[in-house]
Amino acid sequence: MPDQVVAWLRELGASRIEHPGGTLLAHLVRVRDLLGSWGARPALQRAGLCHALYGTDGFASALLPLDRRAEPAAVIGVEAEEIVYLYAACDRAASYPSLADREAAFRDRFTGRVHSPAVSLRRDLAELSAANELDLARTDPAFRAAWGAELPALFGSFRPVLSEPAWRECQAVLGG
């Protein structure tokens, strides 16, 4: 299935969109691989591979509009698509500061709705966010210069919901 998903992403144009470290497709594959190296379950790895489908709070280019959510659900599975949506919908300024809190307030940037996702989804969001940002910190000196000093505090706040392998990677890449 991973090769089929990569081929689908290529059809959607991910290999033609510039992104730090090469193309969007190259970044998506690296994020999936990093999640896999942490022992993430297959659904989270597939979400990592497709995390930019609808654009994100930090990357406006979208491969699909939201009204086509059924298509990725059929390709990568409902669970993985739910994680992709959560990641894309995350209003980072409003949601990241309390992501690890028991009653975390999550603001959906598409709808404006505020809710508290299940702990398992907040863990997935933290893992995916860490994999994404760590890949950028490794591949893009400009990103690292702009955001590298803030990332240790961000991931420190995520610590209660990050896996041990993800936390070790944060420390290895960012210091601490």
Side-chain angles (χ1 to χ4, degrees):
M1 177 195 262
D3 291 339
Q4 294 169 326
V5 177
V6 169
W8 178 64
L9 291 167
R10 198 172 278 116
E11 288 174 21
L12 293 174
S15 62
R16 296 185 303 274
I17 298 173
E18 289 186 30
H19 194 276
T23 65
L24 177 59
L25 183 59
H27 167 69
L28 297 172
V29 168
R30 288 191 307 267
V31 168
R32 183 220 34 217
D33 291 349
L34 184 53
L35 288 163
S37 77
W38 297 344
R41 69 190 187 290
L44 182 53
Q45 290 180 49
R46 289 190 305 274
L49 185 57
C50 296
H51 73 270
L53 279 176
Y54 311 125
T56 72
D57 195 4
F59 188 72
S61 296
L63 298 172
L64 285 175
L66 290 173
D67 63 1
R68 290 178 58 188
R69 285 186 67 189
E71 187 176 333
V75 174
I76 63 173
V78 172
E79 180 186 11
E81 191 281 332
E82 181 179 5
I83 298 165
V84 169
Y85 178 86
L86 187 74
Y87 185 80
C90 182
D91 176 330
R92 294 176 182 183
S95 303
Y96 274 1
S98 65
L99 186 65
D101 296 349
R102 182 179 279 295
E103 298 298 320
F106 178 89
R107 184 176 180 283
D108 184 314
R109 70 185 184 96
F110 299 127
T111 67
R113 178 177 170 243
V114 177
H115 61 102
S116 183
V119 172
S120 60
L121 279 173
R122 287 186 281 122
R123 284 187 179 121
D124 290 341
L125 181 58
E127 293 280 307
L128 181 48
S129 297
N132 178 71
E133 304 302 326
L134 291 173
D135 178 66
L136 293 172
R138 278 194 175 116
T139 60
D140 184 13
F143 175 87
R144 189 163 186 130
W147 301 103
E150 295 179 26
L151 291 176
L154 174 66
F155 296 133
S157 75
F158 286 6
R159 179 65 185 108
V161 291
L162 280 178
S163 68
E164 195 57 38
W167 177 244
R168 282 194 306 266
E169 190 85 17
C170 290
Q171 293 177 308
V173 173
L174 303 170

